[in-house]
Amino acid sequence: GQSLEQPSEVTAVEGAIVQINCTYQTSGFYGLSWYQQHDGGAPTFLSYNALDGLEETGRFSSFLSRSDSYGYLLLQELQMKDSASYFCAVRGSNYQLIWGAGTKLIIKP
Amino acid sequence: EAEVAQSPRYKITEKSQAVAFWCDPISGHATLYWYRQILGQGPELLVQFQDESVVDDSQLPKDRFSAERLKGVDSTLKIQPAELGDSAMYLCASSLGQGNTEAFFGQGTRLTVV
């Protein structure tokens, strides 16, 4: 079967750094994406990794290791507005996006 | 800014009734997705279109769900008859093509079946 594993909840303090991990087992792999979803809102795209290594976009970075079937999203200088659910998603064979169950990020002042 | 339009935003229907959702993707986006998201879970792909053709509907409960994208632009998802377990958020997304990395989501339709 196909599956993505990520922690259900992570708690951090405002201004800190947090890492959200994702491991995957899929048939076919074209890349790992990260999406952010605020309560009641739609998912919005954050980043995409097709090759191994680190991609940086402002305060957010995403890492991929294809040999380990593993990736993570790194959020720096946490702000209260970063409180949301974060989803990893793999683009597998047939180009469909296979989603993890999401990680709820709770930020405390 | 271009966005994916969905309607209605909220829908309450009685079980065994028919319900339909509409989605208008970003202009020029060839790939359209319908997802179902239950609270606290990730989106589950129901159907994926490339232009007017279905690419993947393996997770679509075809005995009660149907989807069409007749002219390769907007799309309709129908449930008939609705069941209590269909209560969820139905999200539509689009991307330029199947291989494009970013999918743009609409605000979704929150369906409650009573």
Side-chain angles (χ1 to χ4, degrees):
Chain A
Q2 303 190 100
S3 66
L4 283 82
E5 298 283 337
Q6 53 181 129
S8 59
E9 188 175 291
V10 171
T11 301
V13 178
E14 191 175 14
I17 299 172
V18 71
Q19 178 174 312
I20 299 174
N21 298 320
C22 174
T23 58
Y24 59 88
Q25 184 177 2
T26 60
S27 57
F29 179 85
Y30 290 102
L32 179 70
S33 299
W34 288 92
Y35 283 78
Q36 178 192 61
Q37 186 177 30
H38 286 98
D39 284 347
T44 56
F45 175 82
L46 291 177
S47 68
Y48 175 77
N49 295 69
L51 302 175
D52 292 350
L54 190 68
E55 295 281 342
E56 298 180 66
T57 307
R59 295 187 296 114
F60 294 0
S61 303
S62 57
F63 172 82
L64 173 65
S65 169
R66 288 173 295 170
S67 61
D68 295 322
S69 297
Y70 164 76
Y72 66 73
L73 179 69
L74 190 73
L75 297 84
Q76 302 182 72
E77 300 172 20
L78 285 172
Q79 301 175 11
M80 296 304 294
K81 68 178 182 179
D82 298 329
S83 295
S85 290
Y86 293 83
F87 294 89
C88 58
V90 165
R91 191 169 290 281
S93 58
N94 217 24
Y95 293 102
Q96 79 272 43
L97 274 177
I98 305 157
W99 293 71
T103 298
K104 184 171 185 176
L105 175 60
I106 299 170
I107 300 174
K108 296 184 175 180
Chain B
E1 183 176 310
E3 60 181 30
V4 177
Q6 286 189 249
S7 66
R9 286 293 310 276
Y10 305 92
K11 180 70 178 179
I12 300 174
T13 191
E14 294 182 347
K15 62 180 181 178
S16 80
Q17 295 299 303
V19 63
F21 314 128
W22 177 79
C23 172
D24 190 12
I26 293 173
S27 178
H29 280 197
T31 308
L32 185 147
Y33 314 81
W34 281 103
Y35 287 92
R36 176 171 59 189
Q37 185 176 28
I38 296 170
L39 195 63
Q41 298 182 20
E44 172 197 15
L45 180 68
L46 294 175
V47 62
Q48 177 179 335
F49 289 93
Q50 180 66 19
D51 299 311
E52 67 276 8
S53 300
V54 173
V55 172
D56 185 350
D57 64 355
S58 57
Q59 300 302 311
L60 188 71
K62 298 181 186 65
D63 57 334
R64 297 185 300 108
F65 286 63
S66 64
E68 60 182 19
R69 193 185 184 198
L70 293 176
K71 297 182 179 179
V73 181
D74 58 336
S75 176
T76 303
L77 178 69
K78 297 179 181 178
I79 309 174
Q80 182 175 19
E83 296 180 353
L84 295 178
D86 297 331
S87 295
M89 176 73 84
Y90 290 83
L91 293 162
C92 177
S94 71
S95 62
L96 277 170
Q98 292 187 113
N100 284 86
T101 60
E102 183 174 357
F104 296 82
F105 282 79
Q107 289 301 305
T109 297
R110 169 73 67 187
L111 173 66
T112 303
V113 182
V114 297

